[in-house]
Amino acid sequence: MQTPSTAIGRGVSTLMFAAMLLVSSTASAAPFTLFESGQVRPLALSPNGQLLFAVNTPDNRLEIFQVGSGGLVHRGAVSVGLEPVAVAARTNNEVWVVNHLSDSVSVVRIDAGGTGGAVVRTLLVGDEPRDIVFAGTGRKRAFITAAHRGQNAPFDPQLTTEGIGRADVWVFDSDNLGTTLGGSPLTIIPLFGDTPRALAVTPDGSRVYAAVFHSGNRSSVVHESLVPNGGEAAGGVPGPNTNFQGVPATEVSVLVRYNGQDWLDVLGRPWTQQMPFSLPDKDVFAISATANPPAQVSGAAGFYTGVGTILFNMAVNPVSGKVYVSNTEGRNDLRFEGPGTFAGGSLRGHTHESRITVLGSGGVAPRHLNKHIDYSACCAPVPNTESEKSLAQPLGMSVSSDGATLYVAAFGSSKLGVYSTAALEADTFVPSTANQIELSGGGPTGVVLDEARGRLYVLTRFDNSISVVNTTTRQEVAHLPMFNPEPASVVEGRPFLYDARRSSSHGDSSCGSCHIFGDFDSLTWDLGNPDGAVKANFNPVVPVLPEFGPDATFGQDTSFHPMKGPLATQSLRGMANQGPMHWRGDRTAGDSAPSVQPNGGAFDEVAAFKQFNPAFMDLLGRSAQLTPQEMQKFTDFALQITYPPNPIRNLDNALTAQQQAGRDFFVNTTSFFQGSCESCHRVDVNANPGEGPFKGFFGTDGKSSFDAEPLFPKVPHLRNMYQKVGMFGAGFPFGNSPADTFLGDQVRGIGFNSDGAIPTLFHFNSGFDFHPVFNAVGIPDSPEGFAAKKNMELYMLAFESNLAPIVGQQVTLSANNGAVAGPRIDLLKQRADAGECDLVAKGRASSYDAGFLYLGSGQFAVDRAALPHVADAALRQAVVQHNGVLTFTCVPPGSGPRIGIDRDLDGVLDGDEAATLSAPTAR
């Protein structure tokens, strides 16, 4: 009988090295890169109901469970791409997995009995894909959501062109994927929204619904230059305009909301003349799945508006055809932290509303899940009677086959909500703990209904496990942990970001309500506090040239006034090594110790993050701050979240000619004020000693700097500019050019800069009023100046990030696609040789699972200690000779040994553990 070793060895024996793979017998903690990707469809049942499939997001695997009357039994696992977030079963033995970070979809062939499987094809799609459904005639068409960008997209994303949708749905014929490298889609459907997330399909498969993730709430910002100075009395910023000390607030921009015709502020005053664009707020789109090719339904039936601000998931009632959309509504129409009473009301304890919005022939009907909350009361200790009735951040849903019952996974409440669909639609339901099911694991993201066995299966993300719930008794009857490579600091700290029962007095909001899955919400908020005191600013300031004297502030007020005006939500990603936090750097330890890099004084990110603790009381309405021990756990978790690779930059990390010209100007052109752009916006991708996996500086080294805006800001990082594309139209002149004429419908109301009022990076790079560099160096609005600004815009969209663009990218090599896959494998090897990633290969040689780790110089280590290293050419040859299949993936530096050959880092390689049946499983 052929053994795993001989099956692999026969194809590689002629080119093997005598050296053996050396693995320490003592496992040590390897780097774990935390992306905190949000799961969308983490569970799926096979059509015959015999297997349950679950995405193991942190472990980059698909887990397979056998379903029986006695519960779930783990049967196997299959390595897929990085950060899998959704799974759908096309047949009993074919499953598709959406890999968020790898920009790919893994087509997995399942073994008989579900004992394992292998990726047989990898489809390459747009940036950050999130969901998948099968629809159309015979359910043979796969629909996949992705952002309208990415290196694998076969189109120009037109990032600098107004009126372009930023959401796509890719459609594949599952019976004919094509022979190209990444598969040949039937079509790519553009949608006029900002990044799509969830999909849903009607029971007959004829219609697919696609929801925009950051759909917004029609809010935007009037730029400060267009707002009269002098406060509300002068027609400017709504009052109060001083703090309790009587110190006048800084002149700032004004938050406004579009009502379909006019832009109004919180006082109902119109600002339409200052806002040369409109927000149609298209939230959910209807797609004809049977059309050839599939396309958005034409006319008004093709979209729904007013659904919510952040749309998480959808489910279709199989009887009525109504669509349920889980979402949160951001209340940035309210202002200020703290207990004060102001026009529109205080934000304290009322930042978001968790909702299910019902879509049907009667239109759009939002249903507030927590209508029992008395928002006029605040700050009772948690838990309390009111908070325990609340459900926060609804995600996955499932509807019973008779259409009568809706099950909702409340991510922020560690519960399942159970609703009568009739009562939900009529808004007659009464929030009650009697209609909620407690889950032991915490953070439920997805739910699947198994009516044949009277069970619900729920993935709980806090502990990376699966709960089994009895639908009759409404009790959790089993809880099965999946293997989890995350360090304890991640597992223990994650709940502090999302757990609304712990975070807020009403039990309905958390830090994660704005910082969606550790990122931002594409909104601007006025989080000032008129009851706060003015504080001194001790942050270090970027020095100016000696001839301008000792005043690095140019006379600008550097103090932290508590009424800071509208500011856009910032991401929690990549805060390590970036100094003080918030746009002004007002979350800082700059007054407690000398500010010396790294980690001294204002550059101490741990101390800076702990300055957010008061927000639990002032913003979320908690009766007390977190304890020092709790805040330390939150800090340890948050500072590990990192940015993904930049999806605009070429996979070989090279810049285009225009991008390079922009970078050359950014780094080398000296301005009138403070040297080059890079003098303030530092770019240094080399890691500082002791800073872990986070590299250097990405637009800031943590200092503050003079700016023509009224606020004295910390110099911001520039890693996520591509995420903010979609707001076009400035009501103010820039440079020597006039204000924009009316530009019509746009997909976003929040753009660039601290308040989101600047629509494009071209505007950001233009004119003394907004950024002084170009006028200062003598290139205003001339053809040469225009070209320089355009090049700078293109460079900033492709700005350096923590990880090289190759990280996550994949290709599957099979016996018959070597010519197509070969150049892609070569590219992955080249980038690994350059130190930009670790390269692993996972799959099958003959009928045996195998894993490989690229060691450089064309050599791979094998996941069996008895086998020597194997040359790349021999490995590819073995796939052909033994009709194998092997998926090559670039993974974050340092993670290759864990992902490729030793899953649990115990020193016993994966192949050897499998041979002795000791591999880590659901235990």
Side-chain angles (χ1 to χ4, degrees), residues 102-259:
S102 287
D103 300 341
S104 68
V105 176
S106 299
V107 181
V108 181
R109 189 68 47 79
I110 304 298
D111 297 337
T115 55
V119 175
V120 296
R121 184 71 187 269
T122 297
L123 305 177
L124 305 179
V125 295
D127 187 42
E128 297 185 339
R130 285 182 166 89
D131 201 8
I132 179 171
V133 295
F134 292 99
T137 304
R139 303 271 183 156
K140 294 183 177 181
R141 291 175 170 177
F143 293 74
I144 301 149
T145 52
H148 186 75
R149 57 179 184 247
Q151 297 95 337
N152 297 324
F155 53 74
D156 175 3
Q158 297 178 275
L159 297 175
T160 61
T161 304
E162 69 271 9
I164 300 295
R166 303 297 162 190
D168 290 330
V169 175
W170 292 54
V171 187
F172 289 89
D173 180 349
S174 60
D175 285 340
N176 183 18
L177 298 178
T179 58
T180 59
L181 175 67
S184 303
L186 283 174
T187 187
I188 301 172
I189 305 171
L191 304 175
F192 198 75
D194 178 28
T195 307
R197 179 173 161 90
L199 293 165
V201 59
T202 55
D204 64 0
S206 64
R207 180 163 293 190
V208 169
Y209 298 96
V212 174
F213 186 19
H214 291 193
S215 66
N217 57 10
R218 289 189 164 184
S219 62
S220 189
V221 180
V222 179
H223 191 270
E224 183 275 331
S225 66
L226 303 175
V227 179
N229 292 341
E232 183 178 327
V237 177
N241 301 119
T242 65
N243 74 332
F244 79 97
Q245 298 167 308
V247 180
T250 305
E251 296 292 345
V252 294
S253 55
V254 172
L255 270 169
V256 291
R257 182 167 289 192
Y258 187 63
N259 65 6

Side-chain angles (χ1 to χ4, degrees), residues 371-389:
K371 55 186 178 179
H372 65 286
I373 291 177
D374 179 6
Y375 288 110
S376 66
C378 181
C379 307
V382 294
N384 57 69
T385 302
E386 183 186 70
S387 68
E388 285 300 283
K389 294 179 183 177

Side-chain angles (χ1 to χ4, degrees), residues 562-821:
M563 299 168 65
K564 50 196 172 184
L567 294 173
T569 304
Q570 289 187 302
S571 179
L572 297 187
R573 296 171 170 176
M575 293 185 297
N577 205 33
Q578 304 300 301
M581 298 172 189
H582 267 190
W583 287 103
R584 300 186 302 172
D586 52 17
R587 294 299 190 262
T588 176
D591 58 345
S592 62
S595 295
V596 179
Q597 284 279 20
N599 301 327
F603 301 123
D604 183 347
E605 289 84 13
V606 172
F609 188 81
K610 291 178 180 178
Q611 299 300 312
F612 286 108
N613 204 346
F616 283 94
M617 295 179 65
D618 296 340
L619 187 58
L620 296 176
R622 203 173 187 266
S623 60
Q625 297 182 20
L626 297 184
T627 66
Q629 294 78 15
E630 290 172 329
M631 196 64 198
Q632 185 65 56
K633 289 183 178 181
F634 189 13
T635 304
D636 293 341
F637 163 76
L639 291 180
Q640 294 182 66
I641 307 173
T642 190
Y643 271 100
N646 187 303
I648 310 304
R649 205 173 176 102
N650 288 334
L651 288 180
D652 64 0
N653 215 7
L655 297 175
T656 67
Q658 285 184 284
Q659 291 167 353
Q660 185 63 54
R663 192 183 195 283
D664 291 342
F665 184 97
F666 188 92
V667 173
N668 299 323
T669 302
T670 300
S671 76
F672 178 74
F673 283 101
Q674 299 178 12
S676 68
C677 303
E678 204 268 345
S679 299
C680 289
H681 294 282
R682 291 293 309 281
V683 185
D684 177 8
V685 298
N686 297 314
N688 288 328
E691 291 299 313
F694 296 96
K695 292 182 178 180
F697 304 129
F698 302 97
T700 181
D701 62 0
K703 295 185 180 73
S704 298
S705 176
F706 163 78
D707 193 84
E709 295 286 345
L711 294 178
F712 189 81
K714 170 196 166 182
V715 179
H717 80 96
L718 300 173
R719 284 168 289 186
N720 63 347
M721 298 296 98
Y722 64 88
Q723 289 182 285
K724 301 181 179 184
V725 170
M727 170 185 166
F728 290 80
F732 50 84
F734 53 99
N736 296 323
S737 300
D740 288 326
T741 57
F742 184 71
L743 293 181
D745 290 348
Q746 303 301 325
V747 300
R748 287 175 57 91
I750 306 300
F752 298 92
N753 217 33
S754 57
D755 56 8
I758 294 181
T760 70
L761 287 170
F762 188 87
H763 287 76
F764 182 80
N765 293 329
S766 299
F768 181 84
D769 286 341
F770 314 114
H771 217 264
V773 172
F774 286 96
N775 282 26
V777 297
I779 49 171
D781 292 307
S782 63
E784 294 79 11
F786 181 93
K789 287 177 257 189
K790 178 58 65 175
N791 291 341
M792 272 274 287
E793 181 178 34
L794 296 176
Y795 165 60
M796 292 170 74
L797 290 170
F799 207 80
E800 289 83 355
S801 190
N802 297 69
L803 296 167
I806 200 65
V807 172
Q809 295 299 311
Q810 299 188 285
V811 62
T812 295
L813 174 68
S814 65
N816 54 12
N817 77 337
V820 174

